[in-house]
Amino acid sequence: MEELSPIIEKIHASSELDFEDGMLLMESRNLPLIGALADYVRRRTVGDRVMFVTNCHINYTNVCTSKCSFCAYFREEGQKGAFTLTIDEILEKAEKARSMGATELHIVGSLNPKLPFEYYEKVLSRLHEKYPSMSLKAYTAVEIAHLSQTSGMSVKEILLRLKKAGLTGLPGGGGEIFNEEIRKKLCPNKISGEQWLKVMETAHKLGIKSNATMLYGHIETNADIVDHILRIRKLQKKTRGFQAFIPLSFHPDNTELQKNGVKGPTGFDDLKTIAVSRLLLDGYVNNIKTYWVMVGEKLAQVALHYGANDIDGTVMEERITHAAGGATPEYMPKERLIYLIKNAGRIPVERTTNYEIIKEYK
Ligand code: V47
């Protein structure tokens, strides 16, 4: 308790926490206190509403040149299990999602050198034409940078063309951990953390909102976690373009890291990371999302008392976590999300991608 006293005072005074405060929090074992502080800040900032979205994840390809050591999803071209969806197959998935009430498609893949920019553009324009009211949250900053490299167009041009084709916003994937040394071990072939932030800055300046993620529970240190969250905060001060922050809980099965003995985070780490995210991003990123697919239904519900105010969505189809040993279902019916939120004593609110309220379930 005592070691956190200066932080408690700062939180009460709504003063910004700094790197040292972040380290004290990360190194403390007083999870109930950290959780209570995050819960206090959550209530002060966003109240008792908990957001969810009726969405469907569509992974269009798993062929990837990046070969990240934390990833079990990717395949090399021609390898067993490699796939790339045709645009018609994506449309079929979208039709199914629409019939199940989805308002958002979350479309991400991998760095497939064979897919031209026109594929990405057409995916959005065909979907937008057929389902004009559906939000298209598509392509991570890493995919955008890859498209810029393969097409020769600038990131700005890519984003403008995708926006014209119907892009609503960017998902937060690919952030991993920004620390350069750790990133080299996780994903040496991927853009750097600073490049990831630059793509996001460009998007935000064009009026394209995005999310931000952080992959934790592998080989990073507490300092890397604090540094990552503070770099997000720094950009947010400039652009205000991040809508949500999502800590992603590393799943080790079938990954290169697992072969090196990396085990993944515990429930303690999951709750502390959510709480510290809420505390460090206070005043800047108001939506802290717990991703039930990765932390499990039960812990996601508990995370609503540790700073989270968003539980992500119905999801419908998920490949990335499940390739790495994810044991959660792929689909969470809306009714179940509402039940979990109400049972945690909060008010369920169905939202759009851009956090507009669709319906409050009192
Ligand atoms: O970019 C990959 C991570 C991300 C593993 O923006 C892994 O609303 C855990 O970004 N264990 C994809 N994580 C998921 C993602 C996401 C999810 C939900 C909502 C949003 C949003 C974004 O998953 C990847 C990578 O960082 N990842 N492999 C793994 N073995």
Side-chain angles (χ1 to χ4, degrees):
M1 167 94 186
E2 256 172 41
E3 90 243 20
L4 296 178
S5 299
I7 299 181
I8 299 174
E9 279 169 35
K10 273 185 155 180
I11 290 169
H12 273 131
S14 294
S15 344
E16 200 172 289
L17 301 185
D18 58 22
F19 182 82
E20 281 68 36
D21 298 325
M23 285 303 288
L24 270 181
L25 288 165
M26 284 306 296
E27 271 160 21
S28 164
R29 299 264 152 181
N30 197 341
L31 182 59
L33 178 57
I34 298 170
L37 291 170
D39 198 46
Y40 165 77
V41 170
R42 184 271 311 154
R43 198 175 319 116
R44 181 173 73 187
T45 322
V46 290
D48 280 342
R49 285 171 166 165
V50 170
M51 303 283 185
F52 71 90
V53 63
T54 306
N55 66 351
C56 174
H57 283 218
I58 299 179
N59 300 122
Y60 58 91
T61 184
N62 64 352
V63 175
C64 193
T65 51
S66 195
K67 302 177 188 164
C68 303
S69 61
F70 57 79
C71 182
Y73 166 74
F74 79 86
R75 292 289 178 274
E76 294 195 38
E77 210 193 336
Q79 195 186 340
K80 195 166 166 246
F83 75 89
T84 300
L85 300 182
T86 63
I87 295 178
D88 284 337
E89 284 168 331
I90 294 175
L91 283 162
E92 271 170 41
K93 286 186 186 289
E95 179 54 34
K96 186 166 169 227
R98 190 209 52 81
S99 72
M100 290 168 79
T103 62
E104 171 187 282
L105 297 177
H106 175 129
I107 307 168
V108 299
S110 48
L111 310 186
N112 183 337
K114 286 276 164 68
L115 285 177
F117 171 73
E118 288 66 29
Y119 169 93
Y120 292 78
E121 188 175 42
K122 216 178 243 174
V123 164
L124 296 186
S125 59
R126 294 271 306 277
L127 285 169
H128 188 57
E129 207 174 85
K130 197 148 182 221
Y131 309 106
S133 60
M134 188 100 90
S135 290
L136 305 176
K137 187 178 72 172
Y139 313 138
T140 63
V142 174
E143 285 157 287
I144 301 293
H146 167 78
L147 284 176
S148 166
Q149 279 159 16
T150 55
S151 70
M153 284 188 277
S154 68
V155 163
K156 187 174 170 187
E157 276 175 273
I158 299 276
L159 287 167
L160 281 172
R161 277 186 59 178
L162 294 178
K163 192 177 178 196
K164 200 162 167 227
L167 180 74
T168 310
L170 302 182
E176 323 312 359
I177 276 283
F178 294 148
N179 174 293
E180 288 72 17
E181 290 313 308
I182 299 293
R183 205 172 173 90
K184 266 187 221 150
K185 292 183 185 147
L186 293 180
C187 44
N189 305 317
K190 215 172 224 176
I191 53 170
S192 69
E194 284 309 310
Q195 284 168 317
W196 186 95
L197 288 162
K198 197 76 207 153
V199 173
M200 288 307 193
E201 184 173 354
T202 309
H204 297 170
K205 283 185 178 154
L206 296 173
I208 301 168
K209 301 268 188 195
S210 77
N211 291 335
T213 59
M214 171 182 71
L215 181 68
Y216 66 92
H218 39 85
I219 52 170
E220 84 289 359
T221 62
N222 286 337
D224 298 329
I225 288 185
V226 176
D227 166 69
H228 185 100
I229 300 173
L230 293 186
R231 287 205 224 181
I232 299 281
R233 187 173 81 181
K234 189 170 166 212
L235 179 57
Q236 181 73 336
K237 285 183 186 176
K238 208 163 150 188
T239 65
R240 296 276 169 182
F242 289 120
Q243 306 212 88
F245 182 69
I246 313 135
L248 299 175
S249 182
F250 172 56
H251 281 55
D253 286 8
N254 312 314
T255 67
E256 199 53 43
L257 286 178
Q258 187 190 40
K259 290 184 198 150
N260 298 327
V262 179
K263 290 191 172 56
T266 61
F268 190 93
D269 301 322
D270 288 332
L271 289 178
K272 193 152 74 170
T273 311
I274 275 280
V276 173
S277 303
R278 165 65 70 190
L279 293 171
L280 291 181
L281 292 171
D282 183 29
Y284 296 102
V285 182
N286 287 343
N287 299 305
I288 304 295
K289 194 191 276 193
T290 177
Y291 186 38
W292 64 263
V293 172
M294 287 190 188
V295 299
E297 175 187 301
K298 291 190 177 182
L299 208 62
Q301 188 197 31
V302 175
L304 302 180
H305 283 261
Y306 282 76
N309 71 311
D310 188 312
I311 196 163
D312 200 70
T314 49
V315 180
M316 297 186 192
E317 211 184 86
E318 206 283 335
R319 290 171 184 258
I320 297 170
T321 319
H322 288 84
T328 45
E330 288 192 70
Y331 171 52
M332 175 93 78
K334 183 162 129 175
E335 294 67 32
R336 181 83 188 155
L337 288 171
I338 293 169
Y339 172 71
L340 292 176
I341 298 166
K342 279 194 174 168
N343 185 260
R346 296 281 151 74
I347 306 160
V349 172
E350 182 173 357
R351 63 164 174 86
T352 64
T353 301
N354 287 330
Y355 285 83
E356 292 126 357
I357 293 174
I358 295 176
K359 186 170 173 187
E360 187 172 291
Y361 294 84
K362 279 257 159 96

